[in-house]
Amino acid sequence: MNVKLLSILVVLLTLLAVGCIQTKEAQPATIPDDALSHAGWVKQGEVQKQTLEREVAGVNVSINLASQTYVDAGLVQRLLNDSIATTSQLIDTKFSALSSAQREQLKNEVGDSLQQMLGQLRGAAVINTTRVVLPANIPVPDRLMDRIIGGLVQTSSSNVEGLKNLKKVSEEEFTTENGKTAKASIYHGILERSGQSVNVELLACHWNDAGSTIVALGIYPYGKLTYPVDVSAGGVS
């Protein structure tokens, strides 16, 4: 038994002996409203709280969790603006033989197609924050943390329609802005909606904070988004 696990066991047994094994209520780890507004994200739903019964160092304890979900409300519009700007330049370059009116008509048709297809990505960029609290604010053992994160990853990914084939591809550590060491796991998957397929990345990271552990999950499209678009007009293709 390693030193960290032994120390946790001693704390738990001491608390159990004196009848102080209650776990305090978990409060959500929230993102400030001004930061959300600046980045174009919004809260989705209310704070979700739950209690898990798990064995820690041979002792059954209650683990309290509080979660809040956020979505990127501006994702589709940003992608649409970028795509329309790119295709507009392409049409002007590749279809210079068309009249100005024909090119504008083509741009409008392509824009409508892009809007319809990119609309399939709505809700594909999600952040979920969860605070995990154990009795007496003891740290969460690594093995238990892996199980909790695995459950949160499964729950979050199942809430994104069409997300499949999610696999862990790497792990890393980084330092947060306030100097805390965070561990991160990166997953790759595919989002399939209405015949369109987009690569998706899921980042799951956690760090200790004020007697609790914060878990942050981010799901977002990554890589190049390629959509077939009919650009024929006036007999030119």
Side-chain angles (χ1 to χ4, degrees):
M1 181 180 293
N2 62 45
V3 175
K4 182 178 180 180
L5 191 58
L6 179 59
S7 64
I8 293 173
L9 177 59
V10 171
V11 171
L12 283 173
L13 291 178
T14 301
L15 291 171
L16 193 60
V18 298
C20 298
I21 199 67
Q22 295 296 320
T23 306
K24 71 177 184 180
E25 183 179 4
Q27 299 301 321
T30 57
I31 301 174
D33 290 340
D34 56 344
L36 289 174
S37 178
H38 179 73
W41 290 69
V42 296
K43 288 182 181 179
Q44 184 180 62
E46 302 297 327
V47 173
Q48 301 295 317
K49 295 187 177 183
Q50 65 177 129
T51 298
L52 306 177
E53 300 293 333
R54 294 290 185 270
E55 182 179 299
V56 180
V59 179
N60 288 325
V61 299
S62 296
I63 304 171
N64 289 335
L65 292 83
S67 301
Q68 178 67 62
T69 299
Y70 305 86
V71 295
D72 187 350
L75 173 67
V76 172
Q77 190 61 50
R78 290 198 307 276
L79 290 175
L80 181 61
N81 290 344
D82 291 344
S83 299
I84 288 178
T86 299
T87 55
S88 179
Q89 293 178 358
L90 180 64
I91 289 172
D92 284 337
T93 301
K94 298 294 185 181
F95 297 92
S96 57
L98 296 177
S99 68
S100 177
Q102 286 178 310
R103 291 199 303 271
E104 287 304 313
Q105 180 182 351
L106 181 55
K107 291 176 185 179
N108 290 334
E109 293 174 353
V110 170
D112 290 342
S113 297
L114 287 170
Q115 187 168 15
Q116 181 178 357
M117 288 183 287
L118 289 173
Q120 301 301 322
L121 292 180
R122 207 171 300 279
V126 179
I127 292 177
N128 176 275
T129 61
T130 300
R131 189 183 298 275
V132 183
V133 179
L134 266 67
N137 298 332
I138 62 175
V140 183
D142 291 341
R143 183 174 297 180
L144 177 59
M145 193 74 252
D146 289 342
R147 290 169 58 190
I148 292 174
I149 290 177
L152 292 173
V153 167
Q154 183 175 9
T155 299
S156 295
S157 60
S158 65
N159 289 333
V160 178
E161 179 188 354
L163 179 58
K164 56 180 63 177
N165 300 335
L166 199 63
K167 297 180 180 178
K168 183 187 291 187
V169 295
S170 64
E171 295 180 339
E172 58 185 59
E173 290 189 358
F174 63 94
T175 302
T176 66
E177 290 187 357
N178 57 1
K180 299 182 182 296
T181 299
K183 296 182 179 180
S185 298
I186 299 173
Y187 301 75
H188 284 173
I190 297 175
L191 183 70
E192 292 185 350
R193 293 178 178 174
S194 301
Q196 303 297 326
S197 179
V198 178
N199 291 326
V200 172
E201 188 166 83
L202 184 150
L203 173 66
C205 55
H206 68 281
W207 61 92
N208 295 327
D209 178 75
S212 64
T213 300
I214 294 177
V215 181
L217 301 181
I219 303 175
Y220 45 90
Y222 82 99
K224 181 180 296 186
L225 303 179
T226 303
Y227 291 99
V229 177
D230 182 8
V231 291
S232 59
V236 179
S237 59

